[in-house]
Amino acid sequence: MSVVARHQVSVTGPDGAAPMLFAHGFGCDQAVWSRVAPAFTDEFRVVLFDHVGAGGSDLTAYDPRAYATLDRYAADVLEICEELDLRDVVFVGHSVSAMIGVLAQVADPGRFARLVLLGPSARYVDDDDYVGGFAASDIDELLDLMDSNTFGWQQPLAGLVMPGPELVEDRGVLDASFCRLRPDIAHDFATATFLGDNRDDLARVSAPTLVLQNRHDTIAPLSAGAFVRDRIPGARLEIIETSGHCAHLSAPAETIAAIRGFVSP
Amino acid sequence: MTVASDVAGGSRHDRVPAAYAVLDRLDGRVLEVNEAFVTLLGRPRETLLAGSWSDLLTVAGRIYSETHLMPMLDLNGRVEEVALDVVADGGRIPVLLNAVLDRTGERASIRVVLFGASARRRYETELLRATREAQEARQQADELARTLQQTLIPPVPPAIPRLEVSAVYRPAGDGDEVGGDFYDVFNVGPSTWVVVLGDVAGKGVRAAAVTAFIRHAVRDLAMQVADPADLLHALDRALHARPTERFCSAVLLRLTEDDAGWSIAGAAGGHPLPILGRRDGTLVDLGRPGSLVGLLDDPLFTTFTHRLAPDEFVTLLTDGVTEARRGRELFGEDAVRDVVRSRASDPDGVSAAVVAAVVDYQAGLPHDDIAVLTLHPSAPDGAVR
């Protein structure tokens, strides 16, 4: 299976334009970019994809051992870039994909022109003086909660977390695979996301970086964004006046403006 | 009469028998709660209205809400039957949540209904735990079976001076099921070797346990009983003495080297007879058929003897070879003989060629285990083979 099919990669925008690659975070799939990505398709070759395990990705490509850490996810990003021959990529990553972008850029510095990190946190669990915002027990509880919400989706139904049939009808233009994640994969991805620690990777980032943090974000607080800005050489931090963790959904216009200001100075 | 009045912070939904609240989509402020919501949370209405949605959730619930609920609400307009814990005055309460996004007002809002679900969630948690335990138990059983199989896969035959032995074993299917085929090659005296190849009825861990028993029994008995037919009788009695109903087929050779070369004494029990081949392609069966081992009250086994000429070889195989099926068609003895004959000039390649032909015949997924073993005298030192 090709990398493009493996990640249900979609490409929109003029050939030859600079590529802008959007990477979704934990909990959904590429559909979350539906209010932001279209704003860039005139000037950029906009590339969307699903992480393996999410949305319309190829579930057979999932190997729990390989995907136990974010490195494999970062390798996937690089494989997509390679397959599509993307150069000077503007990488826009939300939440955990911000760190996936950091890892990808560190692994292949020449590939990326700029990084936009939306709601990043280099470590979610508190550690001595570092405030990530969560205790390890919170994360265990989250894993249990996710299991509760996949109830009824265990084998032999092959377990896809998806909304009930009523929602499918209501979905309209959205893709049928919207926000579905196989329970075991969701469990692993949450573990890799929330129990990871990428603080030491930040200093090795060499691309110009914009950190976008939401004013009131219970998952990645302002302090997490400030930490990322302070550690990545030359990084800028901009604050989006919104609540919650998904500015691309709750404040798409501000998100678009911030990205545009950064990529077309 | 109307109940739709908004008096003293009350809700026109106060009489609705479900906990209902309206939240601001953007900042999560609680805009409205009904009586049932107040009762469920056990907090004063004023406190609830002064707070936000995230105040009502556990930390894990907040993460789940931000990463799953809100994106789905934004993109989908609604969510249903989401399991969450809300933090009430008296502690956590498991609830099921339905919510819709309402964009009709000046600011988008979320209408939420909560159903207390303590009993249901307890039941579900129990089920979930049981499911997990069952999955773990299954994984452990699979692991055990695999480990067991690893120990039972017949070993590479030992190097025997002046005798070439090549053996190939192929488990059934894609190789993840413990099978009943076995072979063993071992030394019982200064210049005497025993070769046994057989097949235990059935598959799986129980058959594998019998296989292990037989291999050890044969090794043990071979030290005491020289005659192959007598040895099969002794094995037959040992199997009868076991409480299980398992039996096996087996072919047994005792090879002795003297100044004139190798001589064979052998016996078969319920098993395809050894094929004696010459390099010119001539093939004959060795010995006479015998009873299955461990099945009958009065079994019959017959010892044959043969002196192995320098240009001869002997091939032993399990019925996974002859009885390999493709649909209703059998691979059959003639096909086996054709393959053996085609490699007769190079006996070292016979075992592998037979297995490859059988696997190929069954499109790569053999229904039964296959074991094939071929032996022949080494070429004299300095001779050109």
Side-chain angles (χ1 to χ4, degrees), chain B residues 200-246:
Chain B
V200 172
K203 282 193 174 64
V205 176
R206 286 186 189 180
V210 178
T211 306
F213 170 79
I214 291 172
R215 271 173 58 188
H216 286 102
V218 168
R219 281 196 173 223
D220 188 30
L221 295 168
M223 303 304 288
Q224 308 160 36
V225 183
D227 180 73
D230 290 349
L231 204 156
L232 287 182
H233 276 292
L235 179 64
D236 181 79
R237 285 191 295 275
L239 276 172
H240 273 298
R242 276 175 64 90
T244 63
E245 305 260 305
R246 302 276 170 170

